[in-house]
Amino acid sequence: MATSWNHRHIISLADFTPEDYDTVLQTAASFGEVLSRRVKKVPTLQGQVVANLFFEPSTRTRSSFELAAKRLSADTLNFTPSSSSLSKGETILDTAKTYLAMGTDLMVIRHSGAGVPQAIATEMDRLGAKVGVLNAGDGQHEHPSQALLDLFTICSVLDPERPRLELLAGKKIAIVGDILHSRVARSNIWSLTAAVGARLHLAGPPTLLPQLFEGMGGSRGNLFLHWHLEPAIENADFVMTLRLQKERMTNHLLPSWREYHQLFGITRERLKLCKPGVKVLHPGPVNRGVEISSDLMDDPNFSLISQQVTSGVAVRMALLYLMGGGKT
Ligand code: NCD
């Protein structure tokens, strides 16, 4: 296994190298093999403590990290803000320090504010604590583990035995929807533009896809913006559609959900524009019938949505292993 890994924390994919992506993909593939065994558990993180500090609601990310930690034999701590001392006025940094004092080795953090995982990581470093901090989604900033599981899912479709970044050469991938509010899109822009020869097309209404996204990603010139769906998905190999994040929409950014579906909803009819064999991804949770038609979402010939959830456990095992592994 590659040994070049040097990320104590995973906050953003901006500083990931192609070798880092391949290390994650290769490690996740080995853990995928573990998860296919009868006994789906390895002693890798025995004695280590993984704390899931989720200050914002989550179903799949939180459960996925918990299961990943348990499959690695770590002890897990779960924090829920409503039943915690936050409601008594404790600060977030003090909450993190409480978990540190209990011997936490890895902290998985989700927060509605961009920058919170970074602030906790900085504080842990300042204290000289050898704790790894993993960003499980911070505001509109980033969601690295989601983008890595998306990458793993896509590369596994292309070569289930040996998922790797170079498989994306010559592939067209479209991300459609509420890009503005999406930390998933921001992390995916880093990973998918890192692949030499891949082309990433973003599509959404101008209110949800501001021009400034053009400046994101690498300097390879392989990121394209569209305010209409058709050119983005034409001949695409993969289409990732994103949830309309109503809870983050403070202004009236869309005329109606029905109109959004008419213009940007992914349907069987629309997929005829794509490459034959096109696959559809969605990070979940899904607004059925809005960003994707309900029947398409459940059709395993097109939809990779369940596969994304399954891959999530192997990818998160890989991340916890790579971050915790340095210590043992
Ligand atoms: C995403 C998130 O929370 O950022 N969901 C997830 O982690 N699977 C996307 C979303 O909320 O729409």
Side-chain angles (χ1 to χ4, degrees):
M1 196 154 297
T3 52
S4 61
W5 188 261
N6 63 1
H7 300 272
R8 169 175 296 172
H9 311 296
I10 302 179
I11 306 294
S12 158
L13 295 185
D15 55 354
F16 262 50
T17 62
E19 292 71 36
D20 292 332
Y21 290 115
D22 279 331
T23 301
V24 172
L25 293 172
Q26 195 188 338
T27 314
S30 332
F31 285 123
E33 189 274 313
V34 169
L35 293 175
S36 69
R37 295 182 196 160
R38 196 176 59 79
V39 178
K40 302 172 172 38
K41 213 165 170 143
V42 284
T44 319
L45 294 189
Q46 211 161 42
Q48 294 208 29
V49 178
V50 176
N52 283 321
L53 310 185
F54 277 60
F55 297 90
E56 196 196 69
S58 164
T59 306
R60 61 215 87 212
T61 305
R62 183 192 171 123
S63 309
S64 177
F65 269 113
E66 184 173 355
L67 188 57
K70 288 187 162 141
R71 296 290 198 216
L72 292 168
S73 304
D75 294 314
T76 54
L77 295 172
N78 281 310
F79 161 90
T80 321
S82 58
S83 61
S84 75
S85 291
L86 273 189
S87 54
K88 299 181 189 167
E90 184 170 79
T91 67
I92 293 165
L93 283 185
D94 283 336
T95 303
K97 280 188 240 175
T98 303
Y99 280 88
L100 171 66
M102 277 181 231
T104 296
D105 299 283
L106 293 165
M107 289 184 192
V108 179
I109 309 213
R110 165 167 293 195
H111 198 283
S112 57
V116 169
Q118 178 63 68
I120 293 177
T122 305
E123 181 66 2
M124 291 299 133
D125 290 348
R126 192 186 65 80
L127 294 170
K130 300 220 175 323
V131 169
V133 174
L134 205 156
N135 177 7
D138 62 332
Q140 290 169 214
H141 175 225
E142 282 213 41
H143 192 349
S145 68
Q146 179 68 44
L148 293 168
L149 78 86
D150 294 336
L151 182 68
F152 181 77
T153 308
I154 292 173
C155 293
S156 297
V157 167
L158 299 170
D159 184 351
E161 298 302 315
R162 222 158 58 82
R164 56 200 189 280
L165 202 59
E166 67 178 27
L167 295 167
L168 294 183
K171 302 292 175 206
K172 175 173 178 180
I173 303 161
I175 303 183
V176 179
D178 185 357
I179 314 261
L180 174 68
H181 298 104
S182 179
R183 51 198 177 202
V184 174
R186 284 176 178 78
S187 289
N188 265 302
I189 290 171
W190 290 119
S191 51
L192 297 173
T193 57
V196 178
R199 287 156 296 135
L200 179 59
H201 291 252
L202 309 179
T207 46
L208 299 180
L209 177 55
Q211 188 99 46
L212 59 90
F213 274 87
E214 216 152 45
M216 272 199 76
S219 51
R220 294 202 174 86
N222 55 358
L223 180 67
F224 308 91
L225 264 59
H226 306 270
W227 291 330
H228 291 100
L229 178 67
E230 289 72 16
I233 65 170
E234 199 170 10
N235 283 320
D237 297 275
F238 295 91
V239 176
M240 180 186 299
T241 160
L242 301 171
R243 186 173 67 90
L244 290 179
Q245 304 204 6
K246 283 184 293 176
E247 75 280 15
R248 296 189 207 277
M249 292 187 194
T250 43
N251 300 316
H252 297 286
L253 297 174
L254 289 170
S256 74
W257 286 40
R258 190 186 307 164
E259 180 166 336
Y260 175 83
H261 183 70
Q262 269 163 15
L263 295 175
F264 288 96
I266 303 301
T267 60
R268 266 173 219 283
E269 200 45 41
R270 290 239 159 89
L271 288 187
K272 291 184 183 151
L273 287 171
C274 306
K275 277 251 180 70
V278 63
K279 300 286 181 209
V280 178
L281 298 98
H282 191 306
V286 178
N287 296 305
R288 271 186 187 266
V290 180
E291 51 259 6
I292 180 168
S293 62
S294 188
D295 66 311
L296 192 58
M297 179 181 164
D298 299 325
D299 185 343
N301 292 319
F302 291 103
S303 169
L304 294 176
I305 297 175
S306 302
Q307 212 165 308
Q308 285 173 278
V309 176
T310 307
S311 301
V313 180
V315 169
R316 288 172 173 129
M317 284 173 81
L319 299 180
L320 295 175
Y321 162 78
L322 290 166
M323 292 170 71
K327 261 214 270 195
T328 48

